[in-house]
Amino acid sequence: MCQGLSAPLPPFAALLSFALLFFLLAGGPVWAWRPWPQNGKMNVTDYAFGDSKKYEGSSEFVKLRYHMGPVLTTNITVHTIWYGKWDRNQKKIIREFINSISATNSPHPSVAGWWRTVQLYTDQTGANISKTVRLGEEKNDRFYSHGKSLTRLSIQSVIKSAITAKTRPLPINPRSGLYLLLTADDVYVQDFCTSVCGFHYFTFPSLVGYTLPYAWVGNSAKLCPGQCAYPFAMPAYIPNPKPFKSPNGDVGVDGMISVIGHEMAELASNPLANAWYAGQDPSFPVEIADLCEGIYGTGGGGSYTGQVLDARDGATYNMNGIRRRFLVQWLWSHVLNYCTGPNALDH
């Protein structure tokens, strides 16, 4: 289970957190994801640890290893911070995706089937990542308490404000809590749209008072849908672009769903940057979702999403939730040694 602390760290640990903070700010994009394809075709360089990081079916170049750190083996509770202005339907879409992760009766292919790949990862005791993911408390920050332009550091300040609020503060749950900060479509976050659509990390005790695994995901509908809401919007460099129809009628939020899934899967399997990842540098890990960027179905890679499904209304999806459909990228299975998802044709 995640070895987060329930009280502030002693001074020596605080110094360590300052060192990690420096690493985070100086090391460039960390735990970042860009869902759009990096080029229009696949070649051998796409299989190296570079900008693309797509591994659709080969394990020859993938050295995913376990580094003995904790994973989230107890029931995962997602505490959500809605930063900025969100309408009711947008919240419903995101809530239902999270609730669908543990739903047992969704039609195949299901969100719960997608999460089973995450469940296969274990800690050093052999305990699997929890199959139970549930919504926890929510906090609304409608008035942009830290402004409309956030840095990586100020994101942690937003989380601190949410857990220390005078009214209805979020619970402090370092052992199994996952703190999800979602920014509205008029909020800019450091590196948003250029090299990042979402990222995950953990809060520093010296800043927040606790070590809490968290993820940030932004709504790109106004700022950069072609970058972060792909394939419901297309990058300008793709010739003759024809975006997919979003399954829930909101390009920005439907694009966010896949990024949220990406970050939650990586938080569960690598919450403190010392569990499951490929590569030699923990400050630039290649994690279980990074390995499958842009892949949503069998045959995916490059600018091709792979075999996905079409709803009667023409919307595109690859998995079912409780009442809605979603398009979510695949994940790397260390058992199969390739990317997989519930809609795989070889299942």
Side-chain angles (χ1 to χ4, degrees):
M1 68 182 63
C2 181
Q3 300 298 318
L5 301 180
S6 59
L9 287 174
F12 74 88
L15 288 174
L16 175 60
S17 70
F18 275 123
L20 287 170
L21 174 61
F22 175 79
F23 221 7
L24 172 64
L25 297 178
V30 181
W31 290 279
W33 180 52
R34 296 169 292 178
W36 67 96
Q38 302 305 299
N39 50 52
K41 62 182 180 178
M42 290 289 287
N43 55 50
V44 69
T45 60
D46 287 327
Y47 292 96
F49 288 133
D51 288 336
S52 188
K53 301 195 296 281
K54 299 184 182 72
Y55 304 83
E56 188 246 333
S58 172
S59 64
E60 181 179 354
F61 301 98
V62 178
K63 305 298 181 185
L64 184 74
R65 293 193 301 115
Y66 177 53
H67 298 265
M68 305 306 289
V71 301
L72 300 185
T73 58
T74 58
N75 292 348
I76 300 168
T77 303
V78 181
H79 301 298
T80 309
I81 303 169
W82 303 96
Y83 192 85
K85 296 177 181 178
W86 294 86
D87 68 41
R88 184 176 301 177
N89 190 58
Q90 289 177 322
K91 291 183 176 182
K92 283 183 177 179
I93 296 169
I94 293 172
R95 288 183 188 125
E96 181 161 322
F97 172 71
I98 296 171
N99 280 327
S100 296
I101 291 174
S102 297
T104 58
N105 54 0
S106 298
H108 174 80
S110 67
V111 176
W114 168 82
W115 188 258
R116 289 191 193 105
T117 297
V118 182
Q119 290 175 238
L120 293 174
Y121 289 87
T122 61
D123 64 12
Q124 58 185 304
T125 71
N128 293 83
I129 291 175
S130 177
K131 67 179 181 180
T132 302
V133 179
R134 59 194 178 196
L135 280 171
E137 301 297 318
E138 299 185 2
K139 191 68 179 174
N140 292 297
D141 195 333
R142 300 182 186 89
F143 301 108
Y144 310 88
S145 63
H146 292 262
K148 290 189 175 183
S149 183
L150 302 176
T151 65
R152 290 173 179 263
L153 189 58
S154 61
I155 279 178
Q156 296 206 16
S157 297
V158 173
I159 296 171
K160 180 179 181 180
S161 295
I163 66 173
T164 59
K166 292 182 179 180
T167 59
R168 302 185 65 182
L170 290 184
I172 297 168
N173 187 1
R175 295 179 67 84
S176 61
L178 188 161
Y179 295 79
L180 183 61
L181 173 60
L182 304 174
T183 51
D185 59 11
D186 57 350
V187 177
Y188 175 76
V189 175
Q190 182 181 353
D191 299 323
F192 192 21
C193 298
T194 56
S195 61
V196 65
C197 302
F199 59 75
H200 73 89
Y201 206 53
F202 52 87
T203 61
F204 300 113
S206 55
L207 298 176
V208 179
Y210 305 87
T211 302
L212 304 173
Y214 75 90
W216 158 76
V217 179
N219 186 335
S220 65
K222 293 180 180 178
L223 295 173
C224 56
Q227 282 69 38
C228 294
Y230 171 88
F232 305 121
M234 290 291 172
Y237 66 81
I238 293 183
N240 302 316
K242 186 179 180 181
F244 290 166
K245 182 179 179 180
S246 66
N248 295 290
D250 190 311
V251 168
V253 172
D254 275 315
M256 289 181 74
I257 292 295
S258 190
V259 189
I260 290 170
H262 178 116
E263 301 304 335
M264 287 181 61
E266 293 185 342
L267 261 181
S269 57
N270 194 32
L272 300 181
N274 59 359
W276 289 94
Y277 63 88
Q280 301 301 314
D281 187 349
S283 64
F284 295 94
V286 181
E287 301 172 280
I288 69 169
D290 295 326
L291 292 167
C292 306
E293 283 182 6
I295 298 173
Y296 302 85
T298 299
S303 59
Y304 179 53
T305 60
Q307 292 289 322
V308 292
L309 303 169
D310 292 322
R312 290 182 179 179
D313 63 357
T316 300
Y317 70 103
N318 66 347
M319 59 189 73
N320 295 289
I322 299 170
R323 288 174 295 273
R324 299 176 184 268
R325 298 183 175 100
F326 304 101
L327 185 71
V328 184
Q329 72 144 99
W330 281 10
L331 302 170
W332 183 265
S333 168
H334 68 305
V335 175
L336 299 175
N337 281 325
Y338 53 79
C339 297
T340 190
N343 57 312
L345 297 181
D346 57 353
H347 281 188

